[in-house]
Amino acid sequence: MTVEEMTFEQSFTALQETVERLETGELALEDTILLYERGQALARHCQELLDRAELRVTQLGGDAVGLT
Amino acid sequence: MYQQAHSVTEITALIKRMLDRDELLQDLWLEGEISNWSRSRSGHCYFTIKDAGASMRAVVWRSLASRLSFEPQDGQAVLAHGRVSLYEPQGQYQFYVEYIEPRGRGALYAQFEALKARLAQEGLFAVERKRALPPFPQRIGVVTSPTGAALRDILNVIARRWPLAEVILSPTLVQGEQAPAQIVAALESLYRGADADMIILGRGGGSIEDLWAFNDEQVARVVYRSPVPVVTGVGHETDYTIADLVADVRAPTPSAAAELAVPDQAELKTWIAGSVTATTEAALTRIRETRMAVDHVRRAFERLTPMARLVQDRQRVDGLQQRIERASLHRLTLLRERASGLAVRLAGLDPEATLRRGYAIARTARGAIVRRTSQVASGDRVTIRVADGSFGARVENR
């Protein structure tokens, strides 16, 4: 799954893991760079999802209701 | 004759003392019907409590009036607790109300307590059963009135904190006789394929009677059966309904239920920004460490590389060469010295010097030096060499 396909939860959880792995160290430089790039992509994705989000409201047995 | 006269104040005070000393009147439960309920501008409320045979003035001080859980109305039967005393300026005895509830509420409470005990016994409130709410809900079922303030509050909170969610409203009446059955139906239709990952069950504040649908046994049981966690937000701070007790999480109000239900995007954004810094820091640190490690290894490596050995070998060769050179030079000097010694000695062997001492060298006609007599015969010609030259001679008597 690419980062762009992730839900917020998936992306956020992956980001948390990435930060943790990076901070505990013990990684080869290449892995560090890969993780760093992944972390940046995940953070960007999370941020975009939040920025783009707009609450949707639907009503069972009825039409969508607007937020007033 | 006339006894001494008393003042009105004195006697009023006496009557007041009599009333105030009476145990029953000071700790009185009184049943009756409200009439002439009025709220003064100061906030105190005045009314008459009466039954078929009598009526009595009554007061509810502002401090209590503002906290009443119902709106008293004329004709309403009430049960009240308080004390009877005298208001001296008007010479009126009054019932000072300390607690008041609609008549029949006592029965309601008894019913509530009995249901609560029974459901507790059955384990509907068991703490071990309480589920944690999903950290990032995607589909939030909301069961409340489509027209109530509760829905507006819930949607506002979710829109602000967690706009990633989708809210699925399952509308219901939240008060009145129809409410329990509708709440049950609304929950059940959410359970059937609305695919919500949590449910908020809410209703705004109101009197205890208004909230009563949430104390319904069927409502309790359907909340208990929910396949996903349920958060309740019913009424005000202090109201605890049976539905609250069954729910996975109880919030004091609908807004608070929404707050508990969803994460706050502002906090998340802060965390995400922090994570960007943290990953960058970690990566930079790793790069620095690696660079230092590489430097370290390179220095170690340079000591071991073939080039380094070559350099070393070359140095060794140089060293040997120098030693050889030094050694040869020494030897050369020695040779030179020996050579010159030989020259000296050779000089001592110079035949000229011997000739100068008076010796002569005789050579045959063929040039051979005559060392023995047998080399010549009488009549041979020889050449004699002396220090300053040569001359010829003839051999005789041989």
Side-chain angles (χ1 to χ4, degrees), chain B residues 92-298:
Chain B
Q92 261 188 357
Y93 70 93
Q94 299 190 107
F95 181 45
Y96 294 87
V97 177
E98 287 155 4
Y99 172 82
I100 185 166
E101 65 175 36
R103 193 73 181 90
R105 183 176 282 185
L108 226 47
Y109 267 120
Q111 186 195 328
F112 172 84
E113 289 299 333
L115 178 60
K116 189 166 133 183
R118 190 151 51 83
L119 297 182
Q121 182 78 32
E122 275 188 48
L124 264 69
F125 312 149
V127 176
E128 332 53 280
R129 261 200 90 251
K130 306 288 183 199
R131 290 164 291 198
L133 302 179
F136 305 105
Q138 287 182 284
R139 289 170 66 81
I140 302 170
V142 173
V143 176
T144 192
S145 162
T147 57
L151 177 62
R152 202 185 52 230
D153 292 348
I154 290 168
L155 292 181
N156 282 339
V157 169
I158 297 178
R160 169 170 53 81
R161 286 173 61 99
W162 190 235
L164 256 64
E166 179 175 359
V167 167
I168 302 120
L169 172 66
S170 192
T172 177
L173 280 179
V174 289
Q175 77 182 73
E177 268 180 47
Q178 303 298 313
Q182 282 206 10
I183 292 170
V184 166
L187 283 167
E188 279 177 341
S189 55
L190 274 182
Y191 299 169
R192 275 194 310 270
D195 197 26
D197 37 28
M198 63 166 304
I199 292 171
I200 298 173
L201 173 59
R203 190 212 184 288
S207 70
I208 298 264
E209 286 77 11
D210 289 344
L211 306 182
W212 212 253
F214 295 86
N215 288 323
D216 182 88
E217 179 170 354
Q218 294 318 308
V219 169
R221 291 193 183 281
V222 79
V223 168
Y224 182 75
R225 279 206 310 276
S226 173
V228 293
V230 176
V231 191
T232 49
V234 178
H236 294 306
E237 276 322 309
T238 52
D239 304 319
Y240 259 88
T241 64
I242 300 278
D244 287 324
L245 297 170
V246 185
D248 294 280
V249 175
R250 180 259 173 187
T253 64
S255 312
E259 300 255 351
L260 288 177
V262 296
D264 184 5
Q265 62 160 337
E267 283 172 27
L268 289 172
K269 281 178 176 170
T270 306
W271 191 90
I272 290 163
S275 80
V276 171
T277 314
T279 48
T280 308
E281 272 309 308
L284 286 179
T285 304
R286 192 76 193 93
I287 289 168
R288 267 196 300 275
E289 285 170 0
T290 309
R291 184 171 293 153
M292 277 164 62
V294 166
D295 283 351
H296 183 73
V297 170
R298 197 177 58 206

Side-chain angles (χ1 to χ4, degrees), chain B residues 289-364:
Chain B
E289 285 170 0
T290 309
R291 184 171 293 153
M292 277 164 62
V294 166
D295 283 351
H296 183 73
V297 170
R298 197 177 58 206
R299 280 194 295 274
F301 183 69
E302 277 168 358
R303 287 193 291 273
L304 299 172
T305 190
M307 272 307 288
R309 204 170 283 163
L310 210 64
V311 169
Q312 280 187 354
D313 285 354
R314 189 173 294 152
Q315 274 184 1
R316 274 214 335 253
V317 169
D318 281 354
L320 284 175
Q321 238 167 18
Q322 280 178 7
R323 279 167 62 191
I324 288 167
E325 272 170 17
R326 268 200 303 275
S328 330
L329 204 65
H330 184 60
R331 192 154 173 74
L332 212 64
T333 312
L334 278 180
L335 282 174
R336 204 171 280 148
E337 281 170 0
R338 262 176 67 192
S340 67
L342 283 174
V344 170
R345 283 169 63 194
L346 270 175
L349 294 175
D350 185 358
E352 302 284 336
T354 312
L355 293 181
R356 277 193 294 275
R357 290 210 302 274
Y359 293 93
I361 298 167
R363 295 177 190 270
T364 64

Side-chain angles (χ1 to χ4, degrees), chain A residues 27 32 40 51 53 56 58 60, chain B residues 164-165 167 169 171 269 279 286:
Chain A
L27 288 165
T32 303
Q40 300 295 309
D51 289 342
R56 285 161 300 157
T58 53
L60 284 186
Chain B
L164 256 64
V167 167
L169 172 66
K269 281 178 176 170
T279 48
R286 192 76 193 93

